[in-house]
Amino acid sequence: MSFVLHSTRRWICTSCVARFSTRSNDYGNAYRKLKLKLPREPARTRFAPSPTGYLHLGSLRTALFNYLLAKCTGGQFLLRIEDTDKNRTVPDAEKRIFQDLRWAGLQWDEGPQVGGPYGPYRQSERTEIYRKHADILVRVCRVDLKAGSGTQTYLLQTGHAYRCFCSAERLDKLAKSKGSLGLPTGYDRACANISEGESEDRASRGESHVVRLRVPNKYPKFDDLVYGAVGGKVKYGRTFVNIGEPAYEDPILLKSDGQPTYNLANVVDDHHMEITHVIRATEWLSTTPKHLFMYEAFGWQPPAFAHVGLLQDRNGQKLSKRNFDLDLSTFRQDLGIFPEALVNYVALLGWSHNVSKDIMTLGQLVESFDLKFTKGNTIVTFEKLWFLQKAHAKLRAEKGGEKFEELVDRVYLFAHDNLAALGDGFGNWKNLRDYVSAILRADSENFTTAESFWERNSYFFAPIVIGHYLARRGEGTMIHSVPVHDLVRCARQIEFIPPESWNSSTIKDRISEIVATSSEAKCLESNEQEEGKCSKLLKRTQKEWNIAFHHYLRWAIAEGKQGPAIGEAMAILGRDISLERIREAAALASPGVVSQEVETKNA
């Protein structure tokens, strides 16, 4: 009997844990969530992209992790568009965000085009909400604000923010002056002590101003779901320079045009949309103390934060959404990556799972998800992506259905366009789409792109040129210790398979029979009489014959190229073409012709 140490510091029998888990699904699920740091209650998460560019790997990963957390806890996944930076907005970026998320299977429960009780879900449509909240921080005020389906009334004595009337010229001069001395370029709070009456009067007369957050002298530490306690080295909101002259961080919350900055809009929206968990990159880790201070100033409960490492290239540079090579359209359109393969790949960038294999569908990712993120940044390489592309191509072929038909269409269209250049040549008598479908079912595990699949399996679509592989003639007459003339003779025996029995299973069985018979005959020619020696010789001979015969057939049928198992290849090509190629190979396979090339191409 074994025991585990429970969180209550009591030793509990593992069989009891198992019994309670099977007796009550609720208990088992709660135990699992506790163990894997998942919230007990449904999580409300959000993805809040800015339409200043297109989605890239990093933003897709952020959306995916938030989606998975919401779905694995039975919660909701929200989409919010942070479109307040009109100068940098890309015209079609918002439309592309919608398309890319849906392509990846990350359908949002609330947001643009869907609606929901906490809208609007575009920040440009929530400007008045931000202005009222900035006023809350600036002065004592009573403001009624809609929050969800009800109304909240705030009566706050704050002073956590103030209006700043400094001109851009003064701020620029201040920054240059401090910068030239190597001093921190924070604000000097020249407007922080303006009386409430003067501030109200100047603002009411239309004097240009911004609203700044009055940061505390020091930020407290907080608990991050990935990094634990953050802020052990307390970050100060002010720095003393030049005999006590302070420089303050005091970030802008509301710009002079009335538009909010990220800091204000983000906090206000997350609160009113009742977001419970935020998963984002570590680049926002240093900003989190400001956000938590704002939650405290408003008297709100903050969401739980989980910060995951950045994605970097091989040179340690941060991946950027402005890098065209990492735009999702590159993977979707240019490379033809499956959405399930890309989602699977992105999920593995910084997340550690307990599943026995890395190949997972979106549904399996939901079932397996937890908050076991790796600490530190992740280097992005694409070898794993191509491995997953092949794995998901194989899954498509095994399951069939719409996704497999889409895969068939890809290769069919590519093959159709390329075969048009061949005129009335090979393949025109076939139902090309069914033909492509058969090849994909046989070799789907090697699919990456339509072009590479075509090149790999080109011998299915055009007559082969065996002579190309005979350019270097040698003097050898053996293939893996088997005489070439024996292989030629045995290959002709495949002709005895009748047309009605021509299928991969029958061909495979016939090849096995030929190998077995030929190996036994070779052993009988030897002088080995002892039973033990004869048995070892037979095993060795069968192995040599099996390798040699399959290499010879692949040379004859497929120019020695890789592809499906030779029996499947011959079944797909059909009896007439297969036997024709075997006869052509026999005519060319005179002594000293094929051995070196076969061994080189198929080793």
Side-chain angles (χ1 to χ4, degrees):
M1 181 178 295
S2 59
F3 296 84
V4 294
L5 183 60
H6 195 259
S7 58
T8 57
R9 305 300 296 177
R10 296 178 181 176
W11 292 97
I12 300 178
C13 171
T14 52
S15 62
C16 293
V17 173
R19 184 168 68 252
F20 282 117
S21 297
T22 54
R23 181 179 298 174
S24 170
N25 287 333
D26 292 338
Y27 180 88
N29 289 336
Y31 183 81
R32 175 181 177 274
K33 290 179 180 179
L34 178 64
K35 178 182 177 182
L36 301 179
K37 301 180 182 179
L38 291 175
R40 290 176 176 269
E41 301 299 326
R44 281 179 62 83
T45 65
R46 49 77 171 170
F47 175 53
S50 171
T52 55
Y54 306 122
L55 294 189
H56 57 110
L57 286 181
S59 52
L60 177 63
R61 185 185 65 158
T62 298
L64 175 62
F65 285 161
N66 282 281
Y67 174 90
L68 293 176
L69 178 59
K71 295 306 173 182
C72 78
T73 59
Q76 298 82 41
F77 172 64
L78 283 67
L79 175 63
R80 185 173 71 226
I81 301 298
E82 300 190 343
D83 59 344
T84 57
D85 191 346
K86 296 300 182 182
N87 293 330
R88 294 174 51 231
T89 296
V90 177
D92 66 334
E94 182 176 307
K95 179 181 177 181
R96 282 274 300 276
I97 288 170
F98 299 154
Q99 291 175 342
D100 287 341
L101 288 177
R102 288 195 171 107
W103 173 76
L106 307 185
Q107 178 59 52
W108 51 101
D109 300 300
E110 299 176 26
Q113 300 185 343
V114 174
Y118 299 92
Y121 294 92
R122 290 184 180 85
Q123 288 188 341
S124 60
E125 300 171 5
R126 300 171 62 85
T127 304
E128 190 58 33
I129 297 175
Y130 307 133
R131 289 174 181 169
K132 289 181 178 181
H133 280 82
D135 278 345
I136 290 175
L137 293 179
V138 169
R139 57 182 176 155
V140 179
C141 57
R142 187 180 187 89
V143 184
D144 291 333
L145 295 170
K146 291 183 178 180
S149 57
T151 299
Q152 297 180 353
T153 299
Y154 297 90
L155 182 59
L156 301 175
Q157 173 76 42
T158 65
H160 290 299
Y162 59 92
R163 295 187 182 92
C164 174
F165 298 92
C166 292
S167 65
E169 291 75 16
R170 179 186 184 277
L171 295 175
D172 182 62
K173 183 178 180 180
L174 178 66
K176 288 182 178 178
S177 175
K178 290 188 175 183
S180 64
L181 298 174
L183 303 175
T185 57
Y187 183 54
D188 60 0
R189 281 189 178 173
C191 297
N193 296 318
I194 295 176
S195 68
E196 182 180 345
E198 180 184 348
S199 176
E200 288 289 331
D201 180 62
R202 293 171 68 175
S204 65
R205 287 189 281 107
E207 185 173 347
S208 179
H209 66 277
V210 299
V211 175
R212 291 181 180 271
L213 178 68
R214 189 193 301 266
V215 300
N217 288 338
K218 61 181 179 180
Y219 293 117
K221 63 182 179 181
F222 66 96
D223 288 326
D224 184 79
L225 295 177
V226 178
Y227 288 88
V230 176
K233 294 182 178 179
V234 180
K235 181 177 180 180
Y236 287 82
R238 62 178 177 178
T239 304
F240 290 94
V241 298
N242 269 11
I243 316 178
E245 180 186 347
Y248 298 91
E249 203 170 6
D250 290 6
I252 294 174
L253 300 181
L254 205 65
K255 294 180 284 189
S256 58
D257 61 0
Q259 292 294 322
T261 61
Y262 170 81
N263 291 313
L264 176 64
N266 182 273
V267 168
V268 171
D269 288 345
D270 280 352
H271 170 72
H272 285 291
M273 294 179 184
E274 299 187 2
I275 301 302
T276 63
H277 292 77
V278 174
I279 302 177
R280 58 188 182 185
T282 52
E283 61 186 329
W284 298 107
L285 195 59
S286 61
T287 307
T288 305
K290 297 187 187 69
H291 293 175
L292 293 175
F293 175 68
M294 292 174 66
Y295 278 104
E296 182 180 323
F298 282 120
W300 296 339
Q301 178 68 32
F305 290 94
H307 290 87
V308 295
L310 301 177
L311 301 183
Q312 296 180 324
D313 61 21
R314 293 180 186 272
N315 298 320
Q317 299 297 314
K318 176 182 175 292
L319 299 187
S320 169
K321 68 180 179 181
R322 295 177 182 84
N323 183 337
F324 175 79
D325 290 336
L326 296 171
D327 185 323
L328 287 197
S329 66
T330 302
F331 299 98
R332 179 181 181 177
Q333 299 172 3
D334 301 343
L335 298 178
I337 300 296
F338 304 137
E340 63 268 31
L342 188 61
V343 165
N344 191 169
Y345 171 71
V346 168
L348 301 177
L349 298 176
W351 174 58
S352 178
H353 63 80
N354 292 318
V355 183
S356 59
K357 58 181 180 179
D358 285 341
I359 304 164
M360 287 180 273
T361 63
L362 183 58
Q364 291 169 330
L365 288 170
V366 171
E367 293 175 0
S368 306
F369 189 70
D370 54 45
L371 296 175
K372 292 173 60 180
F373 299 115
T374 56
K375 296 180 180 179
N377 299 332
T378 300
I379 302 298
V380 176
T381 59
F382 295 111
E383 291 81 0
K384 188 74 170 185
L385 176 59
W386 291 117
F387 164 78
L388 292 170
Q389 177 82 340
K390 293 178 181 180
H392 283 282
K394 183 179 179 181
L395 287 176
R396 286 190 174 201
E398 291 173 349
K399 294 179 179 179
E402 183 179 344
K403 287 188 175 181
F404 177 66
E405 295 304 320
E406 187 270 335
L407 175 57
V408 173
D409 286 338
R410 287 193 193 188
V411 180
Y412 165 73
L413 292 173
F414 192 91
H416 183 274
D417 292 343
N418 281 272
L419 286 173
L422 299 176
D424 295 329
F426 178 84
N428 287 343
W429 50 272
K430 294 181 180 294
N431 183 325
L432 182 58
R433 196 178 185 285
D434 290 345
Y435 189 55
V436 166
S437 178
I439 299 170
L440 276 167
R441 290 186 185 279
D443 199 37
S444 60
E445 63 187 17
N446 289 296
F447 177 91
T448 52
T449 66
E451 181 178 3
S452 65
F453 191 80
W454 162 270
E455 293 174 353
R456 173 184 169 86
N457 293 283
S458 60
Y459 58 88
F460 282 109
F461 300 99
I464 63 174
V465 184
I466 298 179
H468 173 72
Y469 288 90
L470 307 179
R472 190 180 69 214
R473 294 173 177 267
E475 295 300 327
T477 60
M478 311 287 281
I479 300 178
H480 287 281
S481 303
V482 179
V484 171
H485 62 85
D486 285 347
L487 297 172
V488 172
R489 173 178 50 78
C490 290
R492 298 296 293 267
Q493 296 179 32
I494 295 177
E495 295 185 16
F496 296 132
I497 300 175
E500 64 273 14
S501 300
W502 190 266
N503 56 64
S504 60
S505 178
T506 303
I507 297 170
K508 181 180 178 181
D509 291 343
R510 184 59 180 151
I511 291 174
S512 297
E513 292 173 5
I514 292 172
V515 169
T517 301
S518 302
S519 301
E520 291 172 1
K522 187 69 175 179
C523 284
L524 291 175
E525 295 175 4
S526 70
N527 295 322
E528 297 289 350
Q529 301 297 326
E530 295 181 18
E531 183 175 348
K533 292 183 178 181
C534 189
S535 176
K536 290 180 180 179
L537 177 62
L538 179 59
K539 286 184 178 180
R540 185 173 68 250
T541 306
Q542 284 179 334
K543 182 178 180 180
E544 292 172 351
W545 256 91
N546 188 57
I547 295 174
F549 195 49
H550 276 86
H551 281 187
Y552 174 79
L553 288 177
R554 184 160 294 280
W555 167 72
I557 297 297
E559 287 184 312
K561 294 180 179 179
Q562 295 181 341
I566 197 63
E568 291 181 290
M570 293 170 69
I572 294 169
L573 280 167
R575 186 175 187 273
D576 292 343
I577 292 177
S578 297
L579 296 182
E580 179 184 353
R581 291 185 179 183
I582 288 174
R583 295 187 192 107
E584 290 177 353
L588 289 167
S590 56
V593 172
V594 302
S595 60
Q596 290 190 10
E597 290 299 327
V598 170
E599 295 207 25
T600 299
K601 296 293 180 181
N602 299 282

